[in-house]
Amino acid sequence: MRPIRAACLGTATTLVTLLACASGAQAATHTDAVHAKGGHHVITLIGHLVQQSRFPVSTRGPAQGDRTVFRSLLFDRNDKIQVGETDGTCTTTTVENGGAEECVVTYTLQGGQISVQGMVFGILTDGSPTIPPPSFDNAITGGTGEFREARGQVHADTIGTGKRRFTIDLHR
């Protein structure tokens, strides 16, 4: 199978996703209060897709088992300071009724990583990826470092070509 490069923001995560940490990470994460101990925190990040490859299982169009691999850079809520990246893979589970993918994504920020998993629905229109991709919500399944007890969800909205807003609703 040969990868197909895509210039647009693809599926989840496309998130972007989105992670080697940048020097500006500390300032942005303090602004979003992720270093506070315990409780509930909301982190807003802007993801810019920088790399995406598709690995189709068929030459006749989208099929169950197609994979998308992506990487995005993450910036603070003002889209000014790079604070990390996100990387992930999505596998097509169905092509009927708009299609669906199951995605596994890691957000790498200063202080640790946040692991996320879930479904993205409505990823196909007329047998091809939708542009812009739909909004989605995925579950936080765990984390490392400061995020080692992370639980909650991530909501993603497409806000431009190759650009998403991630709202991480973090419970510790």
Side-chain angles (χ1 to χ4, degrees):
M1 291 185 278
R2 194 174 82 191
I4 300 171
R5 304 276 182 212
C8 64
L9 179 64
T11 56
T13 322
T14 353
L15 294 284
V16 206
T17 275
L18 319 195
L19 275 230
C21 294
S23 61
Q26 184 174 4
T29 55
H30 281 300
T31 301
D32 288 321
V34 297
H35 292 292
K37 300 293 181 197
H40 174 248
H41 304 283
V42 176
I43 306 167
T44 302
L45 302 170
I46 306 298
H48 294 264
L49 183 69
V50 294
Q51 192 172 14
Q52 180 179 10
S53 298
R54 297 183 190 278
F55 299 89
V57 297
S58 171
T59 58
R60 293 173 286 193
Q64 187 178 40
D66 287 355
R67 282 188 328 137
T68 300
V69 179
F70 58 89
R71 175 177 179 258
S72 298
L73 298 178
L74 293 172
F75 292 81
D76 68 336
R77 70 173 51 233
N78 298 315
D79 204 12
K80 303 281 184 211
I81 301 169
Q82 184 182 342
V83 297
E85 66 178 70
T86 185
D87 302 276
T89 61
C90 296
T91 303
T92 300
T93 58
T94 185
V95 294
E96 291 84 26
N97 300 319
E101 290 183 328
E102 180 181 26
C103 299
V104 177
V105 180
T106 300
Y107 295 77
T108 302
L109 303 166
Q110 180 184 6
Q113 298 176 356
I114 300 172
S115 299
V116 177
Q117 182 175 356
M119 298 298 293
V120 178
F121 298 98
I123 55 128
L124 300 174
T125 303
D126 300 326
S128 61
T130 60
I131 301 173
S135 297
F136 61 90
D137 294 293
N138 286 169
I140 295 174
T141 57
T144 65
E146 293 182 26
F147 306 108
R148 69 185 167 276
E149 296 176 16
R151 293 293 178 259
Q153 69 178 16
V154 175
H155 178 78
D157 288 309
T158 300
I159 58 173
T161 302
K163 191 173 177 180
R164 283 191 185 230
R165 177 184 313 103
F166 296 99
T167 305
I168 301 172
D169 189 4
L170 189 64
H171 302 267
R172 297 186 195 200

